[in-house]
Amino acid sequence: MSSSEPGYLSAARYGKDLVRVARVVREGNVHHVIEYTVRVMLEGQIETSYTKADNKCVVTTDSMKNTVNVFAKTSPHVLTPELFALHLALHYVNHHDHINKAFIDILSHKWSRIPVQGKPHGWAFTRDGEEKAVIAVVADATEGKQNVKATVKSGMKDLLVLKTAGSSFEDFYKDEFTTLGEVADRLFSTSVTLDYTVPLPSSIPLTIDSITEIGKKLDFPRIFRTAKEVTLEVFATDESASVQATMYNTAQKLLRDAKEIEKVSYSYPNKHYIPVNLAPFGLDNGLGREGGAEVFHPAADPSGLITASVTRKGAGGSLPKSNL
Ligand SMILES: O=c1[nH]c(=O)c2[nH]c(=O)[nH]c2[nH]1
């Protein structure tokens, strides 16, 4: 570092974003298809590319795009985004001496089989929902190439839900800024974002060769299905006292139903539906009557934004017990 420079490089990470790839796996008349948007980000001894204009340490972002395409063809794990991301992440920290950390993020776009006369079709697909699976894998070799650690987070976003009963919001804090009225019955709608951490089994060494074994021990597709089912079921059935309380109940059920999950985080925008006053038109829109209103204004903004993480006891959370 030149002593005349006022600053020093305190963080550096680079990579390729928005690498779009689709892969078909054909098993006779039954085909499988995935469509991913991948982000690859790397850290390591890359400082001189910033500070000395020396590109010798730069694994090009163009090669990252090529690597994603090659792995989409060659990786036996391509159909399971968690394992595919782990494969890519381990590749980067194993293959390059000077790369210590790899961050692989995958957005998995939904392709569901078209039902034909009640049976899922072998090779025709439809986008039957806006939700996307979101995967984030970090491989960390800062403690040595023989001692690589990795974290796997899965989840989803853009799962849109709405219920027309079973949601109230009452008895909240009031001060001179409060104008909101209490409601025993309201519409509740949100676009679910959730992510959960599944610790990798400590009994299996973290190498590329052991990814298959990890996949046998951790059924990522089943955990993902459970996360979606639990989220939808609790949303539908909970007698909601608030977004906060429903979110907490959802997270607890997910920890009960998917024992592999150590921690789950939810983010729910409260997409407000505001009953319209139709009295000027001589119409009773049921304002203030329990279960009454029928016409609402779906407000684009602002929305509430409620977030929480629930961590399995014994796994170590971020809130001290005294705060709970
Ligand atoms: O479920 C809710 N939580 C809030 O924190 C809140 N705030 C608000 O105005 N409406 C709601 N609803």
Side-chain angles (χ1 to χ4, degrees), residues 169 180 186 242-244 270 272 306:
F169 190 60
L180 188 71
R186 64 175 180 174
S242 65
V243 177
Q244 288 89 330
N270 191 2
H272 303 300
I306 315 298

Side-chain angles (χ1 to χ4, degrees), residues 217-324:
K217 188 126 184 167
L218 294 173
D219 187 346
F220 285 107
R222 193 221 348 110
I223 299 168
F224 183 82
R225 281 195 302 276
T226 303
K228 182 177 169 188
E229 279 164 19
V230 165
T231 302
L232 292 177
E233 182 186 321
V234 178
F235 177 80
T237 58
D238 190 49
E239 276 301 322
S240 176
S242 65
V243 177
Q244 288 89 330
T246 298
M247 174 177 283
Y248 182 73
N249 291 341
T250 311
Q252 293 291 10
K253 181 162 170 55
L254 183 53
L255 290 185
R256 267 195 296 278
D257 287 8
K259 299 278 188 276
E260 300 90 341
I261 295 178
E262 181 176 76
K263 175 179 174 183
V264 56
S265 300
Y266 277 95
S267 172
Y268 283 5
N270 191 2
K271 297 167 90 57
H272 303 300
Y273 282 70
I274 299 162
V276 177
N277 180 11
L278 296 177
F281 312 100
L283 293 168
D284 175 11
N285 193 26
L287 298 189
R289 204 171 61 220
E290 184 140 338
E294 291 174 322
V295 179
F296 298 82
H297 170 65
D301 50 57
S303 68
L305 184 59
I306 315 298
T307 70
S309 297
V310 178
T311 302
R312 194 176 291 284
K313 286 178 185 162
S318 57
L319 270 184
K321 282 254 174 335
S322 59
N323 280 359
L324 297 178

Side-chain angles (χ1 to χ4, degrees), residues 5 12 28-29 46 52 76 124 141 163-164 191 209 212 219 232 250 253 272 293:
E5 290 169 337
N29 281 340
I46 55 174
K52 305 261 190 263
K163 67 193 283 186
T164 55
S191 173
D209 289 340
T212 303
D219 187 346
L232 292 177
T250 311
K253 181 162 170 55
H272 303 300

